[in-house]
Amino acid sequence: MLMHAAASSMSGSSKNPISVYLQLTLVCSAAVWILIIWSGHLNMGYGLVIPAIMWCPALAALSTSRLFGWELSSLGWRWPQPKYLAAAYFVPLAYASVAYGAVWALQLGDWNSEFVSSVADGFGLKGFPTWASFTLAITCLATGGVMQNVSMTLGEEIGWRGFLVPELANRMSYTKTSLLSGVIWAAWHSPLLLFADYNNVGTNRWYALCCFSFTCISMSFMLAWFRLKSDSLWPAVLFHASHNVFFPIVFDNLTRNTGHTLMYTTVFGAFPACTSGLFALYFWSRRDEIGKLPMKARARITSFAPARAKHAHPPLSASVGNGESVRPLG
């Protein structure tokens, strides 16, 4: 409903690219939502529905671009400067470390030494010290695991940050772009959180939805900044993959539940919401930097064009920031 309302508010016209994109995303996603909600399990179908749902935003973005005759290069395929990729990888690790470090320091959860031992044993290097095997295992997870996750986060980011964020930024400031794309992104996740077992930690679903939505919106401020600053969707893809590995796979397992720990940890808890919010505030404070770099903009047209048509990419207009100007999302 939120996604439909957002689409309608843009113009109410089926020829509005944002409206078309959101409606296509809703239709594609609903087909998978129904299956998951029917079964009640996110991992139904041997887990194959997870990449399917994550690629629905990409399918909608590619279809919308095709309908409007836009070149796919406008989605941000260019390779960015390495510094943006490095920052995108380490920022989720940073706010996750702060969140879980606070949980351990305040004794709201304990260090899970059993997980460390099981990972070390499962790594298969007999005779290696536990700490050495565990370090190697985490290193492989932080590299190979993130690269593997990129294949799924790419599907979301082609849609949310490759298509939606630049389109919103053409019409509103960085702040509004980040906020609206974050609300839409959170709403897209909500059916599985409320009606299936996406919130598999067992906390109250409305509490989980509030924390998770706040985290999504906070991440959207960072992801939009990387997308617009680097003129590339790849930092957002890597950021998203890094987040998906370090939170549920590394830090959640390193933390032992001592009673109410799950209220503060996981992507459905309070501490990740708070730390991601603080990091988002830092990125928001640097919003004026976005307008200093030119960014390719796909041609704006008011009606559907033949799919084979090609259009020039005019430069951005005024700077983004302070809620003032136009131009240039999860």
Side-chain angles (χ1 to χ4, degrees):
M1 293 176 63
L2 284 171
M3 291 174 67
H4 180 71
S8 299
S9 67
M10 285 300 158
S11 75
S13 169
S14 62
K15 296 180 180 180
N16 183 307
I18 296 178
S19 176
V20 171
Y21 165 72
L22 292 178
Q23 291 178 56
L24 287 175
T25 301
L26 184 62
V27 170
C28 294
S29 302
V32 187
W33 286 338
I34 291 170
L35 295 176
I36 296 173
I37 294 171
W38 190 349
S39 72
H41 302 292
L42 187 64
N43 285 319
M44 59 92 52
Y46 306 103
L48 296 177
V49 294
I50 296 177
I53 190 68
M54 293 181 74
W55 271 84
C56 286
L59 179 60
L62 295 171
S63 299
T64 304
S65 296
R66 179 70 174 173
L67 286 170
F68 280 86
W70 294 339
E71 295 182 356
L72 296 183
S73 59
S74 64
L75 296 174
W77 294 106
R78 68 180 296 274
W79 197 246
Q81 297 180 40
K83 64 180 180 180
Y84 295 118
L85 292 173
Y89 176 87
F90 284 109
V91 166
L93 175 59
Y95 64 73
S97 300
V98 173
Y100 285 82
V103 168
W104 298 328
L106 296 173
Q107 298 184 343
L108 299 172
D110 288 343
W111 176 265
N112 190 355
S113 57
E114 294 179 359
F115 172 71
V116 174
S117 299
S118 65
V119 169
D121 293 340
F123 198 61
L125 294 177
K126 296 180 179 180
F128 252 53
T130 297
W131 66 267
S133 292
F134 179 75
T135 301
L136 284 173
I138 293 299
T139 300
C140 291
L141 187 62
T143 52
V146 170
M147 288 188 287
Q148 185 179 41
N149 205 268
V150 161
S151 65
M152 292 189 291
T153 59
L154 176 62
E156 283 198 46
E157 295 308 323
I158 289 173
W160 304 129
R161 258 59 63 170
F163 182 92
L164 182 61
V165 161
E167 288 301 315
L168 291 175
N170 264 335
R171 296 161 170 79
M172 56 189 68
S173 68
Y174 159 79
T175 301
K176 292 179 180 178
T177 293
S178 302
L179 183 61
L180 183 55
S181 63
V183 169
I184 293 171
W185 193 30
W188 180 76
H189 287 88
S190 62
L192 302 182
L193 199 157
L194 293 175
F195 306 114
D197 62 348
Y198 185 34
N199 172 27
N200 57 6
V201 300
T203 55
N204 178 276
R205 64 183 59 189
W206 293 106
Y207 172 83
L209 179 62
C210 289
C211 293
F212 180 81
S213 297
F214 191 87
T215 300
C216 280
I217 293 171
S218 298
M219 290 174 64
S220 292
F221 273 82
M222 296 181 267
L223 290 164
W225 191 94
F226 278 115
R227 170 65 175 99
L228 300 174
K229 177 74 171 178
S230 68
D231 193 16
S232 171
L233 65 82
W234 291 111
V237 173
L238 185 58
F239 184 110
H240 195 163
S242 177
H243 174 94
N244 284 0
V245 168
F246 286 118
F247 268 94
I249 301 177
V250 178
F251 284 101
D252 283 353
N253 285 311
L254 281 174
T255 307
R256 187 169 63 85
N257 186 5
T258 58
H260 299 288
T261 302
L262 296 177
M263 297 288 289
Y264 310 107
T265 59
T266 79
V267 292
F268 309 108
F271 277 38
C274 291
T275 56
S276 62
L278 291 174
F279 274 69
L281 184 61
Y282 168 75
F283 278 84
W284 177 81
S285 71
R286 298 181 59 181
R287 63 196 181 280
D288 290 336
E289 297 179 17
I290 294 173
K292 297 176 182 179
L293 292 179
M295 176 179 170
K296 288 183 179 179
R298 62 178 69 87
R300 306 304 169 191
I301 51 180
T302 57
S303 61
F304 285 99
R308 63 180 180 274
K310 294 184 178 181
H311 304 277
H313 292 261
L316 295 181
S317 55
S319 71
V320 177
N322 299 319
E324 306 178 338
S325 53
V326 295
R327 196 40 166 171
L329 244 160

